[in-house]
Amino acid sequence: MKRLLLTGLCLLAVSLYPAGLAQAAWQPELLVSLKQSTDSVRLSGNMPVVLRRLDNKKVLWEGKARENAVLTFGAKGWELNGRKLAKADSVALELVTSDEKQLTKQVSTLDYKSYRGALRLLPRKGKIQVLNRVPVEEYLRGVVPEEMPAEWNVEAVKAQAVAARTYALGHRKRHGQEGFDICTTTHCQQYSGTAAERSAANKAIDATYGEVLHGGGNLIDAVFHTDSGGMTENSEDVWGSRISYLRAARELRQGTYPWEKNVSAVELTGLLARRGKNIGELQKIELSPLKFGQAGRDRTVSGRVKNVTFIGKNGRASMSGNDLRSLLGLKSTVFSMSLNRNVVFINGYGWGHGLGLSQYGAKAYADSKHWDYKKILAHYYNGAELKKLY
């Protein structure tokens, strides 16, 4: 779910912090990667648009609303609708409204998928890389409903909107060496353009317009996850370093989002052997019982597994809960393990890393305790301050 070296081809139109944390006088923008490598693209806009060079803003083509432009790039350079595009060479191009003030109202279509904002086309090794230059609030319209159901309690959705906005702005430089800010997958945040938009989510985004979380003079890393299982986690027990605003927080309910997975003892010891832990036939598993809010030698205060010890005929070996989660494809590290008749039974709770906002937890507080989004955010991001950035 998680931060640009700027080049002439990817200059951002705005600066997030013109002077420290002073509020911006405009809405920041993001460069989102939509396609990394393609030969041809079909573009259009919901309003009259221009195709211009990115370096000197020279207009190369003017299109009416919903008029298609098919652009290809190859050995001959740029071609537009089957004809060589004059004065384009191998420069970056942008499809954008001629009036930048209308950018928030522009909807661009890329190969039949629509995104708010402009489309930037970069020549890359004989192929086309497509970026979406989009104002942050318009970007969020294609993100928030992907991260949390829009029909949930509006206060929970508002909390998600603030977290998603903070996360996006705080991670603008994450793909800087690749020429853009963020991607469209869970590596950054899920983003599907206008197809994902829902009116209820838009209302939550509008209600929190420009609001972000910060601490110590900086945007916080507003991570979030699906469900904590019963208690969120301290950062040092997941990332190894203490972060003041990512502290373990209790939930209304424990043992939420139950799941289970079974694996044969032979398969498990085989996987361990490939990691250099050849213990032979599995005889015993050492892991203390799960107790939320009570840390132990092999569990964190939230009940998550620090490490598990496996005892076999050839010896014993330990593995961290995070490594086991990756090895076995578990939903979380809130689990118990037992061995019975050569089968390892795993019973767990929650989904995700457990840091920051728990989405189902936020819903529970909004539904049952009638918490507003500010109280929800304060609960999950300890000491973070809500600030209107623009």
Side-chain angles (χ1 to χ4, degrees):
M1 314 151 181
K2 332 183 204 107
R3 285 93 162 137
L4 191 77
L5 297 176
L6 299 177
T7 70
L9 296 180
C10 62
L11 287 173
L12 293 178
V14 298
S15 170
L16 178 55
Y17 295 115
L21 273 170
Q23 290 191 12
W26 51 82
Q27 183 186 153
E29 297 176 359
L30 295 168
L31 286 177
V32 186
S33 176
L34 300 180
K35 286 193 175 184
Q36 289 280 22
S37 180
T38 186
D39 296 308
S40 176
V41 292
R42 179 184 294 269
L43 313 175
S44 65
N46 66 326
M47 59 177 63
V49 291
V50 296
L51 182 70
R52 66 187 185 188
R53 292 174 59 124
L54 193 58
D55 54 358
N56 58 18
K57 309 301 182 185
K58 182 177 179 60
V59 174
L60 306 175
W61 177 78
E62 297 183 18
K64 301 176 183 178
R66 288 172 284 282
E67 181 180 358
N68 285 316
V70 178
L71 279 155
T72 60
F73 183 80
K76 297 180 180 179
W78 288 107
E79 291 188 1
L80 172 64
N81 296 332
R83 302 179 63 178
K84 183 172 176 57
L85 191 57
K87 299 180 181 180
D89 304 317
S90 297
V91 300
L93 308 176
E94 187 171 63
L95 186 82
V96 64
T97 172
S98 57
D99 181 3
E100 284 281 343
K101 295 179 181 179
Q102 298 297 311
L103 185 63
T104 58
K105 299 179 181 179
Q106 180 181 349
V107 177
S108 302
T109 299
L110 168 66
D111 295 336
Y112 307 106
K113 293 183 179 180
S114 296
Y115 304 87
R116 294 186 179 274
L119 296 176
R120 188 167 291 187
L121 313 174
L122 310 181
R124 290 283 189 265
K125 298 179 180 179
K127 300 284 186 177
I128 305 171
Q129 180 182 11
V130 185
L131 309 180
N132 182 196
R133 178 166 69 89
V134 56
V136 171
E137 300 301 312
E138 279 57 55
Y139 162 79
L140 290 174
R141 297 175 188 274
V143 168
V144 173
E146 292 278 47
E147 298 290 357
M148 177 180 282
E151 64 272 15
W152 279 13
N153 189 300
V154 65
E155 296 302 320
V157 183
K158 286 179 185 177
Q160 179 66 64
V162 173
R165 182 184 294 111
T166 306
Y167 187 90
L169 289 171
H171 289 69
R172 286 177 83 179
K173 301 180 181 181
R174 191 167 198 193
H175 290 278
Q177 292 183 333
E178 300 165 72
F180 58 94
D181 289 330
I182 51 182
C183 63
T184 61
T185 71
T186 53
H187 179 260
C188 294
Q189 290 188 118
Q190 290 273 27
Y191 174 58
S192 299
T194 62
E197 294 183 14
R198 300 292 183 272
S199 60
N202 288 344
K203 290 178 181 177
I205 294 165
D206 293 342
T208 63
Y209 184 92
E211 292 185 348
V212 295
L213 293 162
H214 71 92
N218 297 301
L219 288 172
I220 72 167
D221 190 359
V223 290
F224 49 87
H225 58 283
T226 301
D227 189 288
S228 73
M231 189 173 185
T232 68
E233 189 56 275
N234 291 318
S235 61
E236 59 267 28
D237 289 321
V238 179
W239 291 344
S241 59
R242 189 183 191 282
I243 299 174
S244 63
Y245 52 82
L246 294 179
R247 315 314 303 151
R250 293 185 178 275
E251 303 282 21
L252 272 180
R253 305 178 185 89
Q254 295 178 344
T256 54
Y257 213 104
W259 53 267
E260 62 180 42
K261 183 168 186 173
N262 303 330
V263 59
S264 72
V266 172
E267 181 182 355
L268 177 58
T269 54
L271 291 170
L272 291 173
R274 289 177 209 156
R275 294 285 187 98
K277 303 176 185 293
N278 193 353
I279 64 172
E281 182 182 346
L282 184 62
Q283 297 179 324
K284 185 180 179 182
I285 298 174
E286 290 185 348
L287 177 62
S288 63
L290 168 61
K291 295 180 180 179
F292 293 102
Q294 184 176 328
R297 58 178 176 78
D298 56 5
R299 288 188 184 274
T300 69
V301 69
S302 72
R304 284 173 174 75
V305 175
K306 284 185 180 178
N307 54 74
V308 181
T309 299
F310 301 97
I311 301 171
K313 280 189 174 181
N314 298 339
R316 57 194 291 140
S318 294
M319 180 170 281
S320 73
N322 287 327
D323 286 345
L324 265 177
R325 182 188 176 199
S326 175
L327 185 71
L328 300 177
L330 307 179
K331 291 187 182 299
S332 74
T333 56
V334 186
F335 61 82
S336 299
M337 298 185 80
S338 60
L339 175 64
N340 187 7
R341 296 184 180 181
N342 295 318
V343 176
V344 177
F345 295 88
I346 308 171
N347 295 283
Y349 303 94
W351 191 352
H353 48 59
L355 294 177
L357 182 139
S358 165
Q359 293 167 321
Y360 272 93
K363 180 180 186 297
Y365 277 119
D367 288 344
S368 300
K369 293 292 187 179
H370 308 294
W371 283 11
D372 66 13
Y373 75 102
K374 295 179 181 179
K375 192 168 184 178
I376 292 170
L377 292 169
H379 179 70
Y380 287 110
Y381 302 107
N382 179 62
E385 184 179 353
L386 186 65
K387 180 181 180 67
K388 190 169 179 62
L389 180 63
Y390 51 87

